[in-house]
Amino acid sequence: MSDSRPHVLFSFGTLMDPKVQTALFGQVVPSRPASLAGYATRPLKITDPDVIAASGLDVHLILERRIGGVVDGVVLELTDEQLVAADGYEVDDYARRRVLLASGESAWAYLDAKPLRPAARILIVGDSIAYGRCDPEGGWAARLAATHIAENEAAHRVFNLAIPGTTLAAVSEQTPVLLRPRLPDTILLAAGINDSAVPLAAPDTDGLADIANGLDALAATAHAHNARLVVLGPIWLDEERTGDYEGLRFTRDRALRLRESLRNWCADNHVDFVDMWDPLRDRPDLLVDGIHPSGEGHQALYEYLVG
């Protein structure tokens, strides 16, 4: 049975315009004032002629994170069909994601499709690859921190709280207490490869069974703090060299199943998924032990992540 309740969409730009609503939905839709804390806006050049024709503008607004900022707008109450029409109206620079309004109400909003571009305070949680094991320079996370903070020393922060050997279930349990003192607006989740490993003592164990539960918990935690969850998929691994790794066996089949599980969950829940498989694909020379990237491998991952 479908949910008959309207979809709540926060609008801060052209979707507030009655003529745009009439062009998209065939009518002016119910709306009420609302505001979104922790954000500011910046201009975005539009080139899609249909969007320009509907709005009459070739410059729209897009959200970026800013502590202390507030964006005033309205919430629109949309049917299923109207929400689909709104998705079609927004250009590829936007992605529909969940936000928490200043009132505490959950709503959809159109955010920057590149999740790191509007971020200010980034929290990284994950396993040994995110931790930077096998790279004296701290891995892709340290490279991200250096460039991100250099962009704005006053406002930008990166907190790398990855733990070698951790699982997605452990991350989902540990993350809630980490958020409040750090005030992240973006959470990068780089975990799960340990869940996919085959225990040599129990080779028939399906470590992927609880992936969705861990992701559900993390998404709820992120949303409660009005942070954007970004899920990073597993990297390519050299199965010929993983062997017996501390009682575990890492296989490409399991890693690919994990990748697909993460991708599908993100698509179903409108959460950002960054596929990290291709940067090191068929490059065993960039892996120290078949699993952990070398410094050059981490550099390739970093360039792909921010590209």
Side-chain angles (χ1 to χ4, degrees), residues 72-227:
D72 293 321
V74 300
V75 291
L76 308 178
E77 297 181 356
L78 304 179
T79 65
D80 292 346
E81 293 78 11
Q82 289 168 342
L83 186 62
V84 171
D87 286 347
Y89 169 73
E90 300 295 348
V91 296
D92 290 343
D93 295 274
Y94 294 91
R96 176 160 55 88
R97 300 291 182 255
R98 280 285 178 189
V99 296
L100 202 60
L101 300 177
S103 64
E105 182 180 15
S106 177
W108 292 114
Y110 290 106
L111 308 182
D112 195 317
K114 291 190 174 182
L116 295 186
R117 187 162 51 189
R121 300 173 68 88
I122 300 171
L123 180 76
I124 300 170
V125 290
D127 50 31
S128 57
I129 297 174
Y131 177 81
R133 183 173 175 179
C134 297
D135 178 19
E137 296 184 15
W140 63 259
R143 290 164 171 78
L144 172 64
T147 56
H148 184 69
I149 294 171
E151 289 174 0
N152 188 331
E153 288 278 355
H156 285 189
R157 296 289 183 271
V158 176
F159 308 96
N160 187 0
L161 303 180
I163 301 173
T166 197
T167 63
L168 186 55
V171 169
S172 66
E173 292 176 1
Q174 296 161 358
T175 299
V177 299
L178 305 175
L179 300 191
R180 187 173 299 279
R182 295 171 176 86
L183 299 175
D185 54 61
T186 305
I187 299 174
L188 286 186
L189 169 64
I193 192 64
N194 291 309
D195 300 83
S196 74
V198 181
L200 295 178
D204 295 329
T205 301
D206 186 359
L208 301 178
D210 295 327
I211 290 292
N213 291 336
L215 292 170
D216 288 343
L218 278 166
T221 295
H223 188 54
H225 289 80
N226 211 10

Side-chain angles (χ1 to χ4, degrees), residues 251-270:
T251 70
R252 204 166 297 155
D253 175 68
R254 284 287 189 105
L256 286 170
R257 287 173 57 197
L258 169 64
R259 178 192 186 204
E260 195 63 16
S261 294
L262 296 174
R263 187 203 305 273
N264 290 339
W265 182 90
C266 288
D268 291 342
N269 291 275
H270 289 270

